[in-house]
Amino acid sequence: MLSSVVLKIGHNNDIIKDANINLFCAFTFPLSPCLFLQGSMSSGHRLRDVEQQHPLLDGEEAAVGSAAGEAEQVWFIQDGCGMVCAFITWFLVLYADFVVTFVMLLPSKSFWYAVVNGVVFNCLAVLALTSHLRTMLTDPGAVPKGNATKKYMESLNLKPGEVIYKCSKCYSIKPERAHHCSICKRCIRKMDHHCPWVNNCVGENNQRFFVLFTMYIAMISTHALALSGYQFVTCVKLQWSECSDFSPPVTVMLMIFLCLEGLLFLTFTAVMFGTQVHSICNDETEIERLKNEKPTWERQVRWEGMRSVFGGKPSLLWINPFAGLRLRRLLATRSRKAGPEFSV
């Protein structure tokens, strides 16, 4: 049920009889209070939080300090499950690289077959792991904590009848299409979902890297399966002891596990890649689709949506996870903890 409170605010934040600002607090969602401003407003908005259980911060120091600190940080979520999943991802990719390089390619009698496939597979593996790192260490679009201050709200220059939302969990003003993540403990702009395999939310700033990660994992999985099939055929025609430097039982076990891993990864990442491209082309996040939210924004569909996520016109930069990486700035950042995320 929608409830609202109407207050008239004076200079000293007391309720008075004569004022020209009405402040409505409508709780459209249990966790997303809404502040509705109506009437003629002067340059100095007189505001008061009517949520007694979650009052606005008294000063702007928290919001300013939080924004300044986050500007120097490299994003990293301190979540045990996510860190374990990220480690498993790296382990499986490096395991596949080990089997392909040392079990299949180096013992091959064809020099160019080993060189070409080795270069292609290792390049794809590097691109996949780089995309994983960029997804994991990039701020997905977190709204600054505690920015629901009086000074910040005054700086918004709100128009009569304009609606703003305040998150009651992280005390921030929520932009349109932002959702709160219980793992990151932040509101994330254009949050699609939280992925434990990258130990991060997929949002406005890192969706591109997540799409590249799923694409490159699907590619190396397909490559590994093709090499495994060719290796099995070759070893059946020849002696198993001649097609690998490892013993036949070890070779078979390593290749069977690689095939299972490749099938699992290919299925998962191909589905995720298709889902992400579909979401981008329709300008609709997974959360918005599941909640069946009606768009109140101007949609950027198809190529417009792709350009908004990947940036600029179609080029090789779209598939380059190193694009925009400022290593000097990364190395210059100071280590500093800040809640569930910290800088490195």
Side-chain angles (χ1 to χ4, degrees), residues 51-71:
E51 299 175 83
Q52 298 300 325
Q53 68 274 23
H54 297 299
L56 286 173
L57 299 179
D58 293 332
E60 66 277 4
E61 291 82 1
V64 175
S66 176
E70 288 169 4

Side-chain angles (χ1 to χ4, degrees), residues 213-215 217-219 221 264-274:
F213 168 68
T214 56
M215 181 184 73
I217 290 294
M219 292 176 67
S221 298
L264 181 63
F265 269 42
L266 176 60
T267 303
F268 173 75
T269 55
V271 171
M272 287 302 302
F273 176 78

Side-chain angles (χ1 to χ4, degrees), residues 2-7 22-28 32-37 48-53 164 166:
L2 182 66
S3 61
S4 61
V5 180
V6 181
L7 294 179
N22 290 332
L23 177 63
F24 295 83
C25 182
F27 295 92
T28 55
S32 300
C34 165
L35 298 178
F36 182 85
L37 299 178
R48 178 183 177 186
D49 186 14
V50 297
E51 299 175 83
Q52 298 300 325
Q53 68 274 23
I164 59 174
K166 174 197 168 189

Side-chain angles (χ1 to χ4, degrees), residues 28-301:
T28 55
F29 298 98
L31 298 181
S32 300
C34 165
L35 298 178
F36 182 85
L37 299 178
Q38 186 181 51
S40 60
M41 292 184 290
S42 61
S43 59
H45 299 143
R46 297 181 291 275
L47 303 171
R48 178 183 177 186
D49 186 14
V50 297
E51 299 175 83
Q52 298 300 325
Q53 68 274 23
H54 297 299
L56 286 173
L57 299 179
D58 293 332
E60 66 277 4
E61 291 82 1
V64 175
S66 176
E70 288 169 4
E72 300 176 355
Q73 292 183 13
V74 174
W75 183 271
F76 184 81
I77 301 299
Q78 295 178 307
D79 176 59
C81 176
M83 289 187 286
V84 170
C85 290
F87 173 80
I88 292 175
T89 301
W90 273 68
F91 173 79
L92 292 177
V93 173
L94 294 177
Y95 168 81
D97 187 73
F98 168 79
V99 175
V100 168
T101 303
F102 293 97
V103 177
M104 301 182 190
L105 298 182
L106 288 182
S108 176
K109 296 180 180 180
S110 175
F111 173 78
W112 289 111
Y113 170 82
V115 170
V116 172
N117 284 282
V119 170
V120 171
F121 189 89
N122 281 276
C123 286
L124 291 176
V126 170
L127 292 172
L129 293 178
T130 303
S131 301
H132 184 273
L133 276 180
R134 295 298 300 274
T135 307
M136 182 170 60
L137 300 180
T138 299
D139 180 351
V143 180
K145 281 183 178 179
N147 68 347
T149 63
K150 298 175 184 178
K151 183 175 181 179
Y152 176 75
M153 294 177 70
E154 290 174 358
S155 67
L156 295 178
N157 296 323
L158 298 171
K159 299 178 181 179
E162 192 169 353
V163 178
I164 59 174
Y165 292 89
K166 174 197 168 189
C167 179
S168 60
K169 292 185 176 181
C170 59
Y171 313 114
S172 61
I173 300 299
K174 295 175 65 175
E176 189 178 34
R177 306 184 70 182
H179 294 84
H180 186 86
C181 175
S182 59
I183 299 177
C184 297
K185 303 188 186 304
R186 301 289 291 274
C187 286
I188 308 297
R189 294 189 298 271
K190 289 185 66 175
M191 176 181 171
D192 188 86
H193 68 286
H194 185 95
C195 179
W197 298 106
V198 297
N199 189 33
N200 201 1
C201 277
V202 177
E204 184 177 68
N205 295 340
N206 66 345
Q207 187 176 25
R208 169 190 168 220
F209 301 120
F210 183 75
V211 172
L212 294 182
F213 168 68
T214 56
M215 181 184 73
Y216 286 125
I217 290 294
M219 292 176 67
I220 64 173
S221 298
T222 303
H223 194 185
L225 289 172
L227 291 175
S228 298
Y230 180 80
Q231 187 75 6
F232 271 116
V233 172
T234 302
C235 291
V236 168
K237 292 181 178 180
L238 302 175
Q239 294 294 329
W240 279 89
S241 58
E242 297 180 3
C243 67
S244 175
D245 294 336
F246 295 86
S247 63
V250 174
T251 301
V252 172
M253 290 179 61
L254 291 174
M255 293 179 61
I256 288 177
F257 188 79
L258 176 63
C259 290
L260 294 176
E261 175 193 342
L263 286 172
L264 181 63
F265 269 42
L266 176 60
T267 303
F268 173 75
T269 55
V271 171
M272 287 302 302
F273 176 78
T275 302
Q276 288 296 303
V277 173
H278 180 269
S279 297
I280 294 172
C281 291
N282 287 277
D283 196 13
E284 183 182 43
T285 66
E286 189 66 19
I287 291 180
E288 292 165 350
R289 187 186 67 82
L290 292 176
K291 289 186 175 182
N292 197 25
E293 296 182 0
K294 295 182 179 180
T296 58
W297 59 93
E298 184 179 354
R299 280 188 166 179
Q300 295 179 317
V301 296

